[in-house]
Amino acid sequence: MTTDDSSPAGLIVFIVVILMCICCCLDKYYYQPKKMEEARKRFLGYYKDALKSARKYVEESKARQIAATAATPTEVTEASPVAVPTSGSYIATKKRSRYSPSDERFASPDSQYISHAFKAEFDLVFTPDEEYGYTIKGKGIDKYGKSIIEEGYMTTDGTFYWVEEYIASFANKWEDSSGHVHQNQPDVVGLNVLIKGCMTQGQDSVENSGNVNILEGVWMMNFAEIKGGAVTMTLSAHGFAPVANIRVIATEAESLLFA
């Protein structure tokens, strides 16, 4: 009579395989989603802090201007605007880079760019108010979609910020033969972008004569999957004509221009 010694060993192997499958399922369907959700909440916190900081900086700049005017009411130059922005079309170069969200004016010169630069275009309207600055309104377009500026402000020292919301996405979605849905990039409709920085004066360009307005700063989204970075925007003479003058913007945007 023979004894089957392989049965206990086989049972152990079977139990180990089952436990491994359970661990894999827990990791894929519980732990990983939980970690991603925690990362999204953490990133959203960074975004809210950056926006709060930008608003606070604007209010502090206004307070300095009011104090200067009250202290020297006869010296108009003390309260006169230093930065005089020009409304119009701005061609932007965005770079995804590692930078400190606490940087109020510029991305760090030592930022490490983690992807190729891409173009964007903004139609900006600067309206002077009675609080020593300019409100900012307008619209934009980049490879992710098109957006409108919901709030924005530039102080007389040239420091600015604005918040835009995507109202259309250039993400392409398709379904394969198995019924699985794919898309080439995130759908950004309803997401927000914060851009903050400072206006400077640049030299002549091909399209402009004399000094030109240049807006330099950083951008970040309230969406962890798309990292922000540095941005540079230059006033353009051609007017707001998205896509036609920006070859690297998603080609599907050609049929989705602003009215």
Side-chain angles (χ1 to χ4, degrees):
M1 183 175 178
T2 60
T3 302
D4 188 1
D5 296 330
S6 62
S7 295
L11 180 59
I12 292 174
V13 171
F14 176 76
I15 293 173
V16 170
V17 171
I18 293 297
L19 290 174
M20 291 178 64
C21 290
I22 292 174
C23 290
C24 290
C25 289
L26 284 173
D27 183 62
K28 181 177 181 180
Y29 297 106
Y30 178 76
Y31 292 112
Q32 288 187 15
K34 185 177 180 180
K35 289 179 180 179
M36 290 181 64
E37 184 60 28
E38 290 174 350
R40 291 190 182 100
K41 289 181 179 179
R42 187 165 55 250
F43 193 84
L44 185 59
Y46 295 153
Y47 175 88
K48 291 180 178 179
D49 289 344
L51 177 55
K52 181 179 179 180
S53 178
R55 289 170 174 163
K56 180 180 178 182
Y57 191 92
V58 163
E59 293 304 318
E60 290 175 347
S61 178
K62 289 180 183 179
R64 287 193 297 270
Q65 289 293 321
I66 293 173
T69 303
T72 56
T74 58
E75 297 183 24
V76 180
T77 55
E78 287 292 330
S80 297
V82 175
V84 182
T86 302
S87 298
S89 172
Y90 284 76
I91 302 297
T93 300
K94 288 183 174 181
K95 295 180 180 180
R96 294 174 60 185
S97 58
R98 298 183 179 90
Y99 71 96
S100 171
S102 63
D103 190 337
E104 292 301 329
R105 298 166 72 91
F106 302 104
S108 169
D110 299 324
S111 295
Q112 297 180 348
Y113 299 116
I114 57 177
S115 69
H116 295 295
F118 61 96
K119 294 292 183 180
E121 185 167 3
F122 295 97
D123 186 24
L124 302 179
V125 179
F126 298 93
T127 304
D129 64 7
E130 298 178 355
E131 296 184 335
Y132 306 103
Y134 304 82
T135 60
I136 304 174
K137 295 292 184 181
K139 55 190 177 183
I141 186 172
D142 62 17
K143 69 178 184 178
Y144 296 113
K146 54 183 182 178
S147 62
I148 56 172
I149 296 176
E150 295 184 319
E151 69 166 285
Y153 200 85
M154 176 180 285
T155 63
T156 52
D157 65 358
T159 300
F160 70 90
Y161 84 93
W162 73 68
V163 177
E164 55 189 280
E165 179 180 346
Y166 280 105
I167 59 173
S169 175
F170 295 149
N172 278 336
K173 296 182 180 180
W174 67 94
E175 186 176 318
D176 61 23
S177 58
S178 302
H180 297 109
V181 178
H182 306 271
Q183 62 185 53
N184 62 335
Q185 62 181 18
D187 186 340
V188 295
V189 173
L191 297 179
N192 296 114
V193 182
L194 168 65
I195 293 182
K196 61 179 183 176
C198 189
M199 189 187 79
T200 60
Q201 291 289 318
Q203 298 298 318
D204 296 359
S205 68
V206 175
E207 296 179 336
N208 301 278
S209 58
N211 290 333
V212 294
N213 289 344
I214 297 176
L215 307 179
E216 294 182 290
V218 295
W219 67 280
M220 66 183 303
M221 293 183 65
N222 61 345
F223 183 62
E225 281 75 2
I226 298 179
K227 308 300 181 185
V231 60
T232 302
M233 295 165 276
T234 305
L235 181 65
S236 174
H238 66 64
F240 190 64
V243 179
N245 299 285
I246 306 177
R247 293 161 55 185
V248 297
I249 287 182
T251 55
E252 59 265 34
E254 293 182 0
S255 62
L256 295 171
L257 300 182
F258 286 98

